[in-house]
Amino acid sequence: MANEPVSVVFKIYCLSVMTLVAATYTVALRYTRTISSADLYFSTTAVCITEVIKLILSLGMLAKETGSPSRLKNSIVEHVFQSPKELLKLSVPSVVYAVQNNMAFLALSNLDAAVYQVTYQLKIPCTALCTVLMLNRSLSRLQWFSVFMLCGGVTLVQWKPAEATKVQIEQNPFLGFMAIAVAVLCSGFAGVYFEKVLKSSDTSLWVRNIQMYLSGIVVTLIGVYLTDGEKVLEKGFFFGYTPWVCFVVFLASVGGLYTSVVVKYTDNIMKGFSAAAAIVLSTVASVVLFGLQITVTFASGAMLVCVSIYLYGLPKQDTSKLPRQDADKESRQKLITV
């Protein structure tokens, strides 16, 4: 499927969708966390509902993939009910992703959407490090350089965070940054772990998703009970839910699955452009909606992050012919010496 030729128009469509999903989700989530705290919904319930919707959508995609109800039933019985070890294996990223998603809500409760969008790009060096350690891959010098450049850009953004003048709720920028730090660590580890599980067998992606989301629902329900149990029993599971909150849940569930499917038709350069464009859109939206005041350090840091993302996504130089060239040069030198 990855080798299927696709038109430039379709690639642009994929790029646009990924950009809009990333930017809109961040801004919409930030908006829902800046309303009156008296009517604020429970973020743990939103994370739980997201897992339920992802499970339902994955079941639908598996049904389409298998082609018949009997094959769907056999696949579920074989890979879910008769594979407790696989469920346990997929419970690891389930727990990590649950922590990551809850940290995203905490971060956007204390940081502006644009600041969050830039800082969250720390997931790139974190994922790179996990890839090197867990999958035994190597990074080029340019990629390592871009990783350090990205960290420098994020440092500039956080040095003196831009402030939103239209947001009246109490915020703790340090708590928000620590939440992002935990989120990017979780994102890097869980993403690489899930990739390793996928490549360790020929099991369908949708089967793996179902295994992971089943564990995720259990984990997030435990999170609801431990964190907001008494309040949920008192006010209700869906307390504080508005159309905007439902929209955030929709983007978190449908958007994530859609992006994972679409990404097969794009390359790293396009994903880099998408991330950079999402930063720009989030910044513009934050200025308009939240009164974000752009500082020199924020603008400089955001620019460095965008450039580093682009550099990181550039294809590695093919050095397979370099040894032969070196050998030829050495042999010529020997002939000259003789």
Side-chain angles (χ1 to χ4, degrees), residues 14-138:
C14 294
L15 176 65
S16 302
V17 169
M18 287 191 295
T19 302
L20 288 174
V21 166
T24 306
Y25 171 73
T26 303
V27 174
L29 200 161
R30 169 65 174 171
Y31 175 76
T32 62
R33 303 305 292 178
T34 55
I35 59 176
S36 175
S37 59
D39 299 325
L40 197 61
Y41 64 99
F42 305 116
S43 60
T44 52
T45 62
V47 174
C48 182
I49 295 172
T50 299
E51 295 296 304
V52 173
I53 296 176
K54 286 181 178 180
L55 175 62
I56 295 172
L57 292 174
S58 296
L59 283 170
M61 295 304 297
L62 182 61
K64 181 180 179 181
E65 185 177 83
T66 52
S68 67
S70 59
R71 291 178 182 176
L72 173 63
K73 178 183 176 181
N74 293 336
S75 180
I76 293 175
V77 170
E78 177 184 355
H79 295 289
V80 177
F81 296 104
Q82 296 179 355
S83 303
K85 290 184 179 180
E86 295 300 312
L87 285 175
L88 186 62
K89 185 189 298 183
L90 270 297
S91 66
V92 174
S94 297
V95 173
V96 178
Y97 275 132
V99 174
Q100 174 196 337
N101 293 331
N102 280 285
M103 288 299 103
F105 279 88
L106 179 59
L108 282 165
S109 298
N110 293 279
L111 291 174
D112 184 81
V115 177
Y116 170 88
Q117 192 73 265
V118 175
T119 310
Y120 191 65
Q121 300 309 315
L122 284 174
K123 66 182 180 181
I124 294 176
C126 184
T127 302
L129 183 61
C130 290
T131 299
V132 171
L133 296 177
M134 298 172 63
L135 299 180
N136 295 321
R137 293 179 185 170
S138 61

Side-chain angles (χ1 to χ4, degrees), residues 44 48 216-226 237:
T44 52
C48 182
I217 292 172
V218 176
V219 170
T220 52
L221 280 175
I222 295 174
V224 172
Y225 175 77
L226 295 177
F237 195 87

Side-chain angles (χ1 to χ4, degrees), residues 127-278:
T127 302
L129 183 61
C130 290
T131 299
V132 171
L133 296 177
M134 298 172 63
L135 299 180
N136 295 321
R137 293 179 185 170
S138 61
L139 299 180
S140 66
R141 291 182 180 179
L142 181 61
Q143 285 179 316
W144 281 117
F145 173 76
S146 65
V147 164
F148 286 110
M149 180 188 291
L150 190 148
C151 293
V154 171
T155 301
L156 281 176
V157 169
Q158 290 293 333
W159 190 263
K160 188 178 179 181
E163 296 182 356
T165 58
K166 296 182 181 179
V167 177
Q168 304 300 326
I169 64 170
E170 184 179 353
Q171 299 177 101
N172 187 338
F174 178 75
L175 178 61
F177 177 74
M178 294 306 297
I180 293 183
V182 174
V184 298
L185 289 173
C186 292
S187 175
F189 172 77
V192 175
Y193 181 95
F194 188 59
E195 179 183 350
K196 190 172 184 178
V197 171
L198 281 177
K199 293 183 177 180
S200 64
S201 67
D202 296 328
T203 307
S204 167
L205 167 65
W206 302 112
V207 170
R208 290 301 190 188
N209 278 339
I210 290 170
Q211 292 171 338
M212 186 167 62
Y213 297 144
L214 280 172
S215 302
I217 292 172
V218 176
V219 170
T220 52
L221 280 175
I222 295 174
V224 172
Y225 175 77
L226 295 177
T227 307
D228 301 309
E230 294 183 0
K231 295 179 181 178
V232 169
L233 290 175
E234 178 186 352
K235 297 181 178 180
F237 195 87
F238 296 99
F239 172 79
Y241 274 65
T242 64
W244 276 107
V245 177
C246 296
F247 183 56
V248 168
V249 173
F250 169 80
L251 287 176
S253 53
V254 179
L257 286 177
Y258 181 82
T259 303
S260 68
V261 174
V262 169
V263 79
K264 73 174 65 175
Y265 297 108
T266 63
D267 54 23
N268 285 327
I269 297 178
M270 290 190 68
K271 286 186 284 185
F273 274 120
S274 175

